[in-house]
Amino acid sequence: MRAVVVDKFGDESVLNVKEIAAPKPGPSQILVSVKAAGINPVDTYIRSGNYLPSRLPKLPYTPGGDVCGVIEAVGENVGSEFKVGDKVYSLLITASGAYAEKATVEETFTVKLHQGLSFEEGSALGVPYFTAFRALRTIGQAVKGEKVLVHGASGGVGQEIACIQIGKHLGLEVIGTAGSENGAALVEAQGVTCYRHDDPDYLQKMKTAEGGFDLIVEMLANKNLENDLTMLNVGSGRVMIVGCRGEITINPRLLMGPETQIRGIGLTDEAMLETIKCLDEMASKNLVKPILGKSYSLDEAKTAHAEIINNSYGSSYGKNFFKIDN
Amino acid sequence: MRAVVVDKFGDESVLNVKEIAAPKPGPSQILVSVKAAGINPVDTYIRSGNYLPSRLPKLPYTPGGDVCGVIEAVGENVGSEFKVGDKVYSLLITASGAYAEKATVEETFTVKLHQGLSFEEGSALGVPYFTAFRALRTIGQAVKGEKVLVHGASGGVGQEIACIQIGKHLGLEVIGTAGSENGAALVEAQGVTCYRHDDPDYLQKMKTAEGGFDLIVEMLANKNLENDLTMLNVGSGRVMIVGCRGEITINPRLLMGPETQIRGIGLTDEAMLETIKCLDEMASKNLVKPILGKSYSLDEAKTAHAEIINNSYGSSYGKNFFKIDN
């Protein structure tokens, strides 16, 4: 089969397509014929080698955690829920790597594709919706009625729209920002008030109109963290670091008086059941609706990785993915 | 009576001693003849006017939240636990201001001075032990057996020793750093391993010997925060911002992979009962032992405020206080 293979950690030039043997499913695994694979910033962090050592795969490896496709075979211990021919997607992680024509997924990390969603939409769910749920609920501990700012809500990595949709489902009051007219339209189409962060006065306008926030989901901490700390409610306020592209200078005293918090969101916890339950509930109300961005072939992997990091905030929007002819 | 009076917010030059009328206790208040008053960094933040607007006193005001002295009168609704002649200290806050010959304290914020402690030691308990308890337990949520680094453990504002003593009382494994031989000796005298943060290799030495920390109590976030983020345990790790003297550049991505947190500690919550209970328990085991630093007269208030901010980390140690002849 054809797959993207990384032989050494480094910049996007290490992403090369090769012909390799198709993976075989272990006893608890499912073999998926891949129709689409999501492209996530975390894939680039891992590829660079600059990530938690315990989470770096052994070389060589095939990147990607989000696949969507059709079950081609199931391991001997896989439950009867999953059958050959079923449409499924992976939540967060695959066993063999998503950027390939075939991939194996542990049953635990496999979810049946909800009715009405395309393969491409299915490939846009895993990391983005898991991360959004984790930021809002698992680590963010948001409770019904809290006021949430999704900062960079139109950004192109998929977490943004997932945050809005899950936030509304959880009964949170969600406000967004976007960096373009298209982006703002996208956010507003979700039924959410949107401020334009390309307006130099947007912070003051937002503070005046909205007051403080209980929770800010931050997609670009290196740009916004210091400002975020000035917009949090005393006592309850917390910034969730979901995206970051570099350093920022902050005054930590901003956290002291109001006793606010900054919490990092990674992919540490693989306990998925809560996220899957939330997604199933949302799907039953037709509330899971990822917004698709740009489509790539596997041969365009280098470009895809460069663009997810450089263009993922502000002017672009929608979730990028590989489309695979299978 | 003589008292330090601030007529306008500003630098330490606004601290002037005046002859003013002694305060009268309200129905739920206690009038204390002040023997000693603690000097805390938060007093300087409030004096500067650069603090939470809701926590700024009306001008003119007398600074200080920590007094220790003898009860001179009690309001009509004060419980029979407190009698004229009792030795008491205030936890965190007074009604009329601590830098004075007499001060009123709400009964809720009044604690009987534990046996064996001097007035000066009593004035060293309020803000430091409250803050330390809050950093470790109330906001830090440390649980028995967790590994805690008190960064700047010999510093001169009193929280440092309080953190060590309360940490040990709570069953935490406490490690300290200090910036001088004297400081290290002070920390080690508490039965705690101490690293010298004036040694350029101390971070590497500490990481090698200790592994990661679940909780870091940070007394100088503007210097150490970025390093702290590299020393936290995955998942459980959190830095508590107790002290900060300016800005620092950090890479927020350091929080993402390991899902760690930064939490600010202020004096937001006035629910004192848990702290008082902890202090009473510790006192019964003779574990409350503040380390005294420099003594000032009220006339030296300007110097006292300059020194608490400039010399409070590293080379100096012990808790500074006003000694008042009464």
Side-chain angles (χ1 to χ4, degrees):
Chain A
M1 68 168 189
R2 301 182 79 233
V4 174
V5 177
V6 170
D7 290 311
K8 59 174 182 184
F9 297 114
D11 65 19
E12 57 263 17
S13 69
V14 302
L15 298 164
N16 290 296
V17 176
K18 297 190 178 179
E19 188 71 34
I20 60 171
K24 289 193 193 327
S28 62
Q29 291 179 345
I30 291 169
L31 179 67
V32 176
S33 173
V34 181
K35 301 291 185 183
I39 304 168
N40 293 294
V42 68
D43 302 343
T44 74
Y45 306 154
I46 294 171
R47 184 213 68 219
S48 74
N50 181 19
Y51 201 63
L52 283 186
S54 61
R55 310 229 135 227
L56 289 181
K58 275 191 190 167
L59 293 168
Y61 82 103
T62 291
D66 290 350
V67 298
C68 188
V70 178
I71 295 183
E72 201 170 296
V74 296
E76 55 193 299
N77 298 335
V78 170
S80 60
E81 191 202 345
F82 294 106
K83 291 185 193 65
V84 171
D86 283 351
K87 296 176 179 176
V88 292
Y89 66 95
S90 63
L91 197 66
L92 187 63
I93 198 165
T94 66
S96 63
Y99 299 4
E101 290 177 338
K102 295 178 199 294
T104 48
V105 186
E106 289 289 336
E107 180 183 5
T108 323
F109 306 146
T110 309
V111 188
K112 283 209 182 185
L113 185 62
H114 308 102
Q115 229 170 1
L117 292 185
S118 67
F119 289 124
E120 291 78 8
E121 288 171 332
S123 79
L125 296 176
V127 167
Y129 280 74
F130 177 83
T131 306
F133 185 79
R134 194 159 183 79
L136 291 171
R137 182 71 109 197
T138 318
I139 307 284
Q141 297 171 297
V143 292
K144 199 170 172 168
E146 281 197 314
K147 193 158 187 167
V148 172
L149 175 65
V150 181
H151 213 172
S154 66
V157 298
Q159 274 97 327
E160 305 81 356
I161 292 300
C163 278
I164 292 176
Q165 292 171 358
I166 293 178
K168 291 179 69 176
H169 175 67
L170 295 176
L172 309 175
E173 185 185 350
V174 182
I175 307 291
T177 76
S180 68
E181 196 172 325
N182 279 353
L186 174 69
V187 173
E188 285 163 359
Q190 303 284 324
V192 157
T193 302
C194 187
Y195 292 84
R196 288 280 293 274
H197 56 65
D198 53 343
D199 171 357
D201 296 327
Y202 88 101
L203 283 175
Q204 204 44 58
K205 286 179 188 168
M206 187 163 63
K207 282 183 199 179
T208 305
E210 304 295 341
F213 295 99
D214 299 303
L215 196 142
I216 298 179
V217 183
E218 184 48 71
M219 305 298 171
L220 197 67
N222 54 303
K223 186 173 174 193
N224 299 319
L225 184 56
E226 170 99 353
N227 285 331
D228 291 344
L229 295 175
T230 69
M231 295 194 291
L232 292 173
N233 285 333
V234 170
S236 64
R238 54 240 189 247
V239 181
M240 314 306 299
I241 310 285
V242 170
C244 183
R245 303 280 180 271
E247 295 185 327
I248 183 170
T249 299
I250 62 166
N251 191 332
R253 250 187 72 194
L254 290 170
L255 290 120
M256 291 172 63
E259 292 198 317
T260 50
Q261 304 190 3
I262 303 171
R263 303 181 183 181
I265 296 299
L267 304 168
T268 303
D269 190 339
E270 290 164 355
M272 313 288 186
L273 287 179
E274 251 200 320
T275 311
I276 293 175
K277 194 176 156 212
C278 175
L279 281 172
D280 286 346
E281 281 172 15
M282 289 174 69
S284 72
K285 298 175 189 166
N286 208 26
L287 293 173
V288 184
K289 269 288 164 207
I291 306 293
L292 295 178
K294 199 166 165 183
S295 172
Y296 299 85
S297 72
L298 287 181
D299 293 311
E300 296 170 311
K302 293 177 177 67
T303 310
H305 264 212
E307 293 185 347
I308 193 77
I309 286 300
N310 297 328
N311 304 337
S312 61
Y313 184 78
S315 55
S316 74
Y317 69 84
K319 177 68 200 295
N320 295 354
F321 58 93
F322 292 108
K323 187 163 170 51
I324 296 169
D325 290 326
N326 244 333
Chain B
M1 68 166 189
R2 300 182 79 232
V4 175
V5 176
V6 170
D7 290 311
K8 59 174 181 183
F9 296 115
D11 66 20
E12 57 265 17
S13 70
V14 302
L15 298 163
N16 291 297
V17 176
K18 297 191 177 178
E19 188 72 33
I20 60 171
K24 290 195 192 327
S28 62
Q29 293 179 343
I30 290 169
L31 180 68
V32 177
S33 173
V34 182
K35 301 292 185 183
I39 303 167
N40 291 295
V42 68
D43 302 344
T44 74
Y45 306 154
I46 293 170
R47 183 215 68 220
S48 74
N50 181 17
Y51 202 61
L52 283 185
S54 60
R55 310 228 135 229
L56 290 180
K58 276 193 190 167
L59 294 168
Y61 81 102
T62 292
D66 290 351
V67 299
C68 188
V70 178
I71 294 182
E72 203 170 294
V74 295
E76 55 195 299
N77 298 336
V78 171
S80 59
E81 192 202 344
F82 293 107
K83 291 187 192 66
V84 171
D86 284 351
K87 295 175 181 178
V88 291
Y89 65 94
S90 63
L91 197 67
L92 186 63
I93 196 164
T94 67
S96 63
Y99 298 6
E101 290 176 338
K102 296 179 199 295
T104 47
V105 186
E106 289 288 335
E107 181 184 6
T108 323
F109 306 146
T110 308
V111 188
K112 283 209 182 186
L113 185 62
H114 307 101
Q115 227 169 3
L117 292 184
S118 67
F119 290 123
E120 291 78 8
E121 289 170 332
S123 78
L125 296 177
V127 166
Y129 281 73
F130 177 84
T131 306
F133 185 79
R134 194 160 183 80
L136 291 170
R137 183 70 109 197
T138 317
I139 307 284
Q141 297 171 294
V143 293
K144 199 170 173 169
E146 281 198 313
K147 193 157 188 169
V148 173
L149 174 65
V150 182
H151 213 175
S154 66
V157 297
Q159 273 96 326
E160 305 81 354
I161 293 300
C163 278
I164 292 176
Q165 292 172 357
I166 293 177
K168 291 179 67 174
H169 173 68
L170 295 176
L172 308 175
E173 185 186 350
V174 183
I175 308 291
T177 76
S180 68
E181 196 173 325
N182 280 353
L186 174 69
V187 172
E188 283 162 0
Q190 303 284 323
V192 158
T193 302
C194 187
Y195 292 84
R196 288 281 293 275
H197 56 67
D198 52 343
D199 171 357
D201 296 327
Y202 88 102
L203 283 175
Q204 202 45 58
K205 286 179 187 167
M206 187 163 64
K207 282 184 200 179
T208 306
E210 304 295 340
F213 296 99
D214 298 303
L215 195 141
I216 298 178
V217 184
E218 184 48 70
M219 305 298 171
L220 196 66
N222 53 306
K223 188 175 173 191
N224 299 319
L225 183 56
E226 170 99 353
N227 285 331
D228 291 344
L229 295 176
T230 69
M231 295 194 291
L232 292 173
N233 285 333
V234 171
S236 63
R238 54 244 189 243
V239 181
M240 313 306 301
I241 310 285
V242 169
C244 184
R245 302 280 181 273
E247 294 186 330
I248 183 170
T249 299
I250 63 166
N251 190 332
R253 251 187 71 193
L254 290 171
L255 291 120
M256 291 173 61
E259 291 200 318
T260 51
Q261 304 189 2
I262 303 171
R263 302 180 184 182
I265 296 299
L267 305 168
T268 304
D269 190 339
E270 289 164 356
M272 313 287 186
L273 287 178
E274 250 199 322
T275 311
I276 293 175
K277 193 176 157 213
C278 176
L279 281 171
D280 286 345
E281 281 172 15
M282 289 173 69
S284 72
K285 298 174 188 166
N286 208 27
L287 293 172
V288 184
K289 268 289 163 208
I291 306 293
L292 295 177
K294 200 165 165 185
S295 171
Y296 299 85
S297 72
L298 288 181
D299 294 311
E300 296 170 311
K302 293 178 175 69
T303 311
H305 265 212
E307 293 186 347
I308 194 76
I309 286 301
N310 297 327
N311 304 338
S312 61
Y313 184 80
S315 55
S316 75
Y317 69 83
K319 176 68 200 294
N320 295 353
F321 58 93
F322 292 109
K323 187 163 168 50
I324 295 168
D325 290 326
N326 242 333

